[in-house]
Amino acid sequence: MMTAVPISWFLTLSAILFALGVAGFLFRRNIITVFMSIELMLNAVNLSFVTFSYQHKEVSGHLFTFFVMVVAAAEAAVGLAIILTVFKNRSTLNIDDVNSMKN
Amino acid sequence: MDVILFLIFALIAVVCAINVVIQTHPISSALSLVGVMGSLAVLYLLLGAEFIAAAQVIVYAGAIMVLFIFVIMLLNAGAETRKGRSYLIPGAPLLIVFLGLMAYYVQRMFPGSTMVRFGGFQGGGPRDIGTALFTTYLLPFEVTSILILVAIIGAIVLARKEIE
């Protein structure tokens, strides 16, 4: 019976969450869900930062996680404002319809 | 005990993350994402990151997700219409192969390394975070305030109405 969790399990979980975030980012067509997939990827990276912080018995990883959270909050504010503007001008949330920079 | 705790919350996180990707309605995705963030907060506690666990619940699951749900409600976003699922044929096997390779290399690079026990790392409380934030990381912390100022101005400029 194991009583402790190997560190590689945490890293594997982080990899799984990151891959699911990438899948959502590439496959989904709703601009808000694409944005939420980015948040999922940021969370996966945060988990590996905290895990490595535990491995090295060092607080720096927690600080990086803290800064990632700040950047995520700023990104959410600006990104959602962009989504509001896109919806106001085009009345759609589908990223396939927002293609005026193509060609 | 720690293994059971890890497995339960890792399973919740993975199931909720899959749900984020496969749900067609954005509200369902957003609520699943809250589930991912809540279970990650428990895993942070297991790793001894008390402050980060609290910040995860307050900032991520609280503030950021409320902003998302607010925008979804404001725009009255409906379910996404799919044009077919042809992407799943190459996509799903590639994803599984990628995950398998990643898991294999992670297991090979950290063979039987550090074992995580609850309480094995005590340096993640608010006191230690604060000390590091205001000594070693003082400059990045101050630069963060400029970043937030830029984000506030950007959001206002983007979302305001044009005044004639």
Side-chain angles (χ1 to χ4, degrees), chain B residues 107-119:
Chain B
Q107 301 288 345
R108 220 177 67 164
M109 283 166 78
F110 300 90
S113 59
T114 323
M115 302 293 271
V116 177
R117 280 186 188 77
F118 183 65

Side-chain angles (χ1 to χ4, degrees), chain B residues 58-99:
Chain B
I58 295 167
V59 177
Y60 257 126
I64 296 181
M65 290 319 294
V66 166
L67 202 62
F68 269 97
I69 291 174
F70 180 75
V71 169
I72 295 170
M73 297 283 189
L74 188 71
L75 300 184
N76 198 14
E80 180 178 322
T81 47
R82 296 277 170 84
K83 284 181 190 146
R85 295 169 171 269
S86 56
Y87 58 80
L88 276 176
I89 296 162
L94 273 178
L95 191 68
I96 291 167
V97 167
F98 172 71
L99 274 179

Side-chain angles (χ1 to χ4, degrees), chain A residues 5 28-29 43 63 70 85, chain B residues 21 23 56 80 116 133 158:
Chain A
V5 193
R28 296 306 302 267
R29 299 270 72 91
N43 267 285
L63 270 302
V70 172
T85 315
Chain B
V21 178
Q23 285 289 338
Q56 171 89 2
E80 180 178 322
V116 177
L133 200 57
L158 282 169

Side-chain angles (χ1 to χ4, degrees), chain A residues 12-102:
Chain A
T12 310
L13 174 65
S14 170
I16 291 171
L17 291 181
F18 191 88
L20 285 169
V22 172
F25 182 80
L26 294 176
F27 293 154
R28 296 306 302 267
R29 299 270 72 91
N30 189 317
I31 194 164
I32 298 176
T33 320
V34 168
F35 217 64
M36 284 194 277
S37 302
I38 298 175
E39 298 290 330
L40 187 60
M41 285 192 268
L42 287 174
N43 267 285
V45 173
N46 280 351
L47 180 63
S48 28
F49 268 134
V50 174
T51 308
F52 286 126
S53 193
Y54 183 97
Q55 190 190 14
H56 294 284
K57 301 276 184 276
E58 184 45 62
V59 83
S60 312
H62 296 185
L63 270 302
F64 274 96
T65 307
F66 184 71
F67 287 125
V68 169
M69 279 181 188
V70 172
V71 171
E75 176 222 334
V78 176
L80 291 171
I82 292 174
I83 291 174
L84 280 176
T85 315
V86 166
F87 188 77
K88 205 161 63 185
N89 290 332
R90 292 171 177 268
S91 312
T92 181
L93 287 175
N94 191 326
I95 52 171
D96 286 337
D97 296 339
V98 185
N99 56 1
S100 52
M101 281 177 82
K102 232 178 184 174

Side-chain angles (χ1 to χ4, degrees), chain B residues 17-18 47 61-63 73-76 78 96 101 122 129 138-139 145 154 158-160 164:
Chain B
I18 292 172
L47 288 163
M73 297 283 189
L74 188 71
L75 300 184
N76 198 14
I96 291 167
L101 275 177
Q122 299 285 355
I129 300 273
L138 185 61
L139 183 65
S145 60
L158 282 169
R160 76 180 165 156
E164 290 98 37

